[in-house]
Amino acid sequence: MNAQERNQTPGLTVKTLNFSDLPQVIAIERRAFPAPWSLSMFVLELSKPSEIALSARRDGRIVGYVICARYDEALHIMNIAVDPGHRRRGVASALLDEVIARGGADAAYTLEARVSNAGAIALYERYGFRGVGTRPRYYADNGEDAIIMWRAIGTPWEP
Ligand SMILES: CC(C)(COP(=O)(O)OP(=O)(O)OC[C@H]1O[C@@H](n2cnc3c(N)ncnc32)[C@H](O)[C@@H]1OP(=O)(O)O)[C@@H](O)C(=O)NCCC(=O)NCCS
């Protein structure tokens, strides 16, 4: 399924995330992560004008979201999650397509993921991210290492 087909999936729409979306986002965040972001972390990120923050909705309900910060050297994907009942149906891919559409295919992107998060790492690899190193004991809840991934400038992308 390519990005155009995903965005034509009946009922799936991707648009800018608003403060009023945060109650639904927080509920998904708590189902998705062992150490979820707090409401104030989301508020802080959404307050940054350069941020790319998106929701994916199916039939009007939020089923996923992504938060991507813009820094001088790269865009940093800070958070992405899809509600458990809506996974493996292209929601995260539709969010990443829109991040790259807004951030630019000619920009560099980076992120961290738990080394055990094989599903997320497989998703990122499909988008051209590659592991470049680790941050030892990056996650405070269980002391797990993070894999650092970069998507280099010029990596092909076909929406
Ligand atoms: C990781 C996550 C965002 C993926 O969302 P998703 O909407 O299910 O992803 P997509 O349907 O767009 O997946 C696209 C491709 O990525 C890969 N992928 C995604 N999840 C996968 C999994 N659990 N196992 C293996 N491959 C996976 C597959 O190649 C998939 O294509 P396919 O379904 O045709 O095989 C979702 O599982 C999630 O919210 N996990 C909990 C939060 C999390 O770990 N976030 C990332 C933090 S770094």
Side-chain angles (χ1 to χ4, degrees):
M1 205 190 322
N2 66 28
Q4 198 174 8
E5 288 163 344
R6 274 193 292 278
N7 283 318
Q8 288 169 354
T9 304
L12 184 68
T13 54
V14 174
K15 58 183 190 178
T16 300
L17 187 67
N18 296 310
F19 288 103
S20 60
D21 297 325
L22 289 181
Q24 284 185 74
V25 166
I26 288 286
I28 296 171
E29 174 81 5
R30 289 182 180 153
R31 289 193 281 274
F33 292 107
W37 279 21
S38 64
L39 176 62
S40 57
M41 290 166 81
F42 280 101
V43 169
L44 179 68
E45 293 303 324
L46 260 59
S47 306
K48 297 176 182 167
S50 63
E51 200 94 336
I52 301 172
L54 305 172
S55 67
R57 291 170 188 268
R58 208 181 274 288
D59 303 326
R61 281 189 57 79
I62 294 181
V63 294
Y65 52 88
V66 63
I67 308 278
C68 179
R70 244 182 249 267
Y71 296 109
D72 286 344
E73 76 281 13
L75 289 96
H76 192 146
I77 297 177
M78 315 278 288
N79 194 339
I80 182 167
V82 174
D83 212 9
H86 293 268
R87 291 180 186 164
R88 302 305 289 271
R89 291 159 67 191
V91 175
S93 301
L95 288 163
L96 288 177
D97 287 332
E98 186 63 18
V99 165
I100 295 171
R102 294 191 187 196
D106 55 351
Y109 293 79
T110 186
L111 55 83
E112 288 96 16
R114 288 176 192 260
V115 291
S116 65
N117 197 346
I121 291 168
L123 167 72
Y124 301 139
E125 285 178 340
R126 264 177 64 157
Y127 276 80
F129 285 83
R130 297 291 175 257
V132 297
T134 57
R135 293 193 203 285
R137 303 188 61 79
Y138 183 72
Y139 295 98
D141 61 310
N142 65 351
E144 188 170 352
D145 295 353
I147 179 173
I148 306 164
M149 301 186 82
W150 277 82
R151 184 180 192 279
I153 291 172
T155 302
W157 172 72
E158 298 237 350

